[in-house]
Amino acid sequence: NEDSSSWKKISNLVKKIHPTHSKWIWSVTPENWEILKSQNVWGSRIGKERIGDRIKPGDQVAFYVIGTSNFKGIFEFVGNWYDSPGKTWDDDLRPDGSLIHVSQIQIKPIQLGSVKIHNLHEKLELFIGKSQNNRNLVLQGGSGYPSNNSKPLSEDDFTMIRLELIRNQDDLSENFSPLEGKTENESTSNIETETLPSDVADTKIFKFDDGEV
């Protein structure tokens, strides 16, 4: 029908945007989601050289906000990674006062919205055919690297997330300030998790049973 045809055209258009750049997902706490939105910046506990080898300018990221069961927005990385100028994030300092997130990169909003993770379980190759526990682990942070075990998403999966955000979009102009250099956070330490028996020490599992993370 006309509606599905229109969405197919949009999908094909989205796929043509930065086809050579990698697409990622990254989990973020609600507190740090608000910070990254207002400051247009993201950060990592990995040094700028090492994280810069993986995450490049022009790459895009879909942020999953912990505790909301939602992807909330897609951003593009702008410029190179740099040393963090100081405390930026909600959980940015160790007990001795040293920074946890030592590198930062500017970001710009591409699409804001709100997409329930459960609505994507049967739409994304990332989740199809996986057990509930393995789906949960996809969203677990990578100690400074992106979620999904630091693997990029397929173009099809990333396009689907973006299309769902477009269907449930927010007004970018009301939520974002101009680019200015500050930081991010993808901390895993404050993620609402449940420690389950595992062969791997200190493995954390998201709680999805009730639809919440």
Side-chain angles (χ1 to χ4, degrees):
N1 58 39
E2 184 176 344
D3 182 62
S4 62
S5 176
S6 297
W7 277 105
K8 185 175 181 180
K9 290 178 181 178
I10 294 174
S11 176
N12 289 334
L13 177 62
V14 170
K15 288 179 183 179
K16 293 179 181 178
I17 299 174
H18 303 310
T20 61
H21 292 299
S22 296
K23 310 297 193 297
W24 310 91
I25 57 173
W26 223 317
S27 294
V28 58
T29 62
E31 296 82 3
N32 290 323
W33 166 247
E34 295 302 326
I35 292 170
L36 77 86
K37 280 201 305 177
S38 65
Q39 300 188 18
N40 284 318
V41 68
W42 185 233
S44 174
R45 60 185 67 197
I46 307 298
K48 62 184 180 181
E49 291 83 9
R50 285 170 56 207
I51 191 67
D53 286 340
R54 183 72 57 86
I55 311 297
K56 309 286 188 181
D59 285 2
Q60 293 186 2
V61 56
F63 284 110
Y64 177 81
V65 182
I66 299 157
T68 69
S69 295
N70 282 295
F71 280 101
K72 293 276 195 174
I74 288 174
F75 291 73
E76 183 174 312
F77 296 105
V78 179
N80 295 314
W81 290 84
Y82 54 89
D83 293 327
S84 171
K87 182 182 183 302
T88 304
W89 310 103
D90 178 61
D91 49 356
D92 212 8
L93 296 179
R94 294 187 174 89
D96 64 3
S98 62
L99 280 177
I100 293 175
H101 302 93
V102 297
S103 59
Q104 298 181 6
I105 189 170
Q106 289 186 335
I107 56 177
K108 65 179 181 180
I110 300 299
Q111 182 63 54
L112 283 183
S114 188
V115 180
K116 284 289 183 185
I117 191 71
H118 295 283
N119 293 339
L120 297 171
H121 278 171
E122 301 305 323
K123 295 180 179 180
L124 301 186
E125 178 187 351
L126 186 68
F127 294 130
I128 293 173
K130 286 185 169 66
S131 68
Q132 188 64 58
N133 279 347
N134 285 337
R135 285 173 173 174
N136 299 347
L137 288 173
V138 164
L139 297 173
Q140 184 170 316
S143 298
Y145 289 109
S147 304
N148 189 33
N149 199 27
S150 193
K151 296 176 183 175
L153 266 65
S154 69
E155 288 290 334
D156 285 345
D157 276 5
F158 201 83
T159 297
M160 178 59 69
I161 294 173
R162 184 171 183 184
L163 290 177
E164 291 298 321
L165 287 170
I166 290 172
R167 289 179 185 269
N168 302 278
Q169 63 185 311
D170 296 339
D171 183 356
L172 292 176
S173 65
E174 294 181 0
N175 289 276
F176 290 87
S177 58
L179 284 179
E180 44 185 335
K182 282 261 181 188
T183 73
E184 147 278 301
N185 167 353
E186 81 305 314
S187 172
T188 58
S189 59
N190 287 348
I191 290 178
E192 298 172 4
T193 58
E194 178 182 1
T195 303
L196 300 179
S198 171
D199 292 334
V200 181
D202 200 30
T203 295
K204 303 289 186 180
I205 306 294
F206 286 84
K207 294 190 290 187
F208 270 106
D209 294 352
D210 58 357
E212 297 294 326
V213 179

